[in-house]
Amino acid sequence: AKEKLQSRVDKNSSSIAAIKIQLVHSNDPALQKELARYQSQHDKLSHQLTNFDEDHAAKGEQLEHKIKRHRVYLQDKSEEGKLFFDPSVITNTDQVFILDSHSVITKGVVLEVSDRIWGDNNVYKVVNIEAKHGYLNTINVKGQTKQFWLQELAQGDIKLSSLSSADFDKQQLLSKRLTYESLETIEPSTYHQLVDQINLEDDGFLIQTSSGALQLINGRQATAKQKGQVLWPESTNQTQCKRVMEFYAT
């Protein structure tokens, strides 16, 4: 803002200088009037530029005071259990977007998007919000990512879904075939909760039988019991890694 103001002052000064050169050769009343107008503008702009830092600092202090006051209010409401959104966004405002007076969009929220926007009546989970840059990144249950510009969110084509983040994750998990390596990105408790419905890829899966022995099976041909016996991959577990390497070596 200060650079733009300085640019206006410089342009104004150039115009004044050009008019004064013309007045050396002609005492045109119209030029005199134009010079007076530019000089008046120059005085106002120069005054604004001189006081810019002080005025800017004063406005910044007022804004900071207002933010602190609202933050304390929201924290009090959070302690009373009266917030309808995640209280962590009170101090992390870059990761929140207020859709309306009753809808706050944060990371992990599931949205219902009109087919007018993306051509499908699908639900999308918010992966992250870039409030400063004006967009949010989302993903649907099929793993397709979409970027949504925040200025479009007030057009009535998007709303909060009744589907919870946990239910969305379950739907996403059941919509694809899992590789053995991908299991490490999933919560074991979620996997075992849905083990009867989960689809495994055609890869080799290591299971640990009831006798404790390791066995290699085909994921697509695995029974529900075998799926429940999968040896959970833990790349940071040195003991398990050694055991797996010894299994493949024999």
Side-chain angles (χ1 to χ4, degrees):
K2 188 176 183 179
E3 290 75 12
K4 289 183 178 180
L5 185 57
Q6 181 64 64
S7 177
R8 290 179 64 190
V9 171
D10 293 341
K11 288 180 180 179
N12 187 275
S13 297
S14 297
S15 297
I16 290 174
I19 293 173
K20 286 182 176 180
I21 291 173
Q22 294 180 59
L23 286 172
V24 171
H25 305 287
S26 171
N27 195 22
D28 188 343
L31 285 176
Q32 292 283 3
K33 186 175 181 180
E34 189 173 5
L35 176 62
R37 181 171 64 84
Y38 273 108
Q39 286 177 328
S40 176
Q41 289 179 355
H42 186 271
D43 291 342
K44 292 178 181 178
L45 290 171
S46 296
H47 179 76
Q48 291 177 20
L49 185 60
T50 300
N51 296 283
F52 182 88
D53 291 335
E54 184 177 341
D55 292 343
H56 190 70
K59 290 179 180 178
E61 288 178 5
Q62 293 175 3
L63 181 60
E64 186 63 29
H65 177 71
K66 188 175 182 179
I67 290 173
K68 288 181 179 178
R69 182 158 47 85
H70 286 299
R71 185 173 292 159
V72 169
Y73 172 80
L74 291 173
Q75 287 171 338
D76 288 343
K77 291 298 179 182
S78 175
E79 292 175 1
E80 295 171 8
K82 295 182 178 180
L83 281 186
F84 60 92
F85 55 86
D86 186 347
S88 66
V89 303
I90 296 174
T91 54
N92 189 19
T93 54
D94 287 344
Q95 283 293 306
V96 61
F97 181 77
I98 300 175
L99 187 59
D100 55 45
S101 60
H102 299 288
S103 304
V104 175
I105 296 177
T106 59
K107 180 180 177 180
V109 163
V110 182
L111 305 173
E112 292 182 9
V113 182
S114 165
D115 59 0
R116 192 187 74 81
I117 300 295
W118 288 329
D120 59 30
N121 282 305
N122 216 331
V123 291
Y124 288 82
K125 182 178 179 179
V126 178
V127 178
N128 75 301
I129 300 174
E130 295 289 345
K132 287 184 178 179
H133 302 292
Y135 66 86
L136 56 82
N137 292 311
T138 65
I139 189 169
N140 65 13
V141 292
K142 297 179 181 179
Q144 299 168 324
T145 58
K146 299 277 188 175
Q147 191 175 83
F148 208 105
W149 292 97
L150 296 178
Q151 63 265 27
E152 297 178 307
L153 295 182
Q155 297 177 1
D157 292 321
I158 190 167
K159 61 181 180 179
L160 299 186
S161 173
S162 59
L163 190 67
S164 69
S165 179
D167 287 337
F168 177 94
D169 291 343
K170 290 177 183 177
Q171 285 190 16
Q172 189 177 49
L173 190 62
L174 296 175
S175 70
K176 57 188 176 183
R177 289 192 174 275
L178 305 176
T179 64
Y180 186 64
E181 292 75 15
S182 69
L183 294 183
E184 199 167 9
T185 64
I186 303 167
E187 285 292 331
S189 59
T190 302
Y191 172 87
H192 288 289
Q193 180 185 357
L194 303 171
V195 69
D196 292 341
Q197 305 171 61
I198 280 176
N199 298 303
L200 301 182
E201 194 48 270
D202 206 17
D203 300 351
F205 280 76
L206 274 177
I207 66 170
Q208 183 169 270
T209 64
S210 54
S211 65
L214 295 184
Q215 181 181 341
L216 189 63
I217 65 169
N218 183 298
R220 286 193 183 230
Q221 299 174 3
T223 64
K225 180 180 178 180
Q226 289 175 324
K227 291 178 184 179
Q229 293 175 325
V230 166
L231 180 69
W232 207 258
E234 298 179 45
S235 57
T236 58
N237 187 330
Q238 297 301 316
T239 302
Q240 179 173 297
C241 289
K242 182 180 179 181
R243 185 186 180 198
V244 171
M245 286 189 290
E246 288 175 347
F247 168 80
Y248 279 108
T250 58

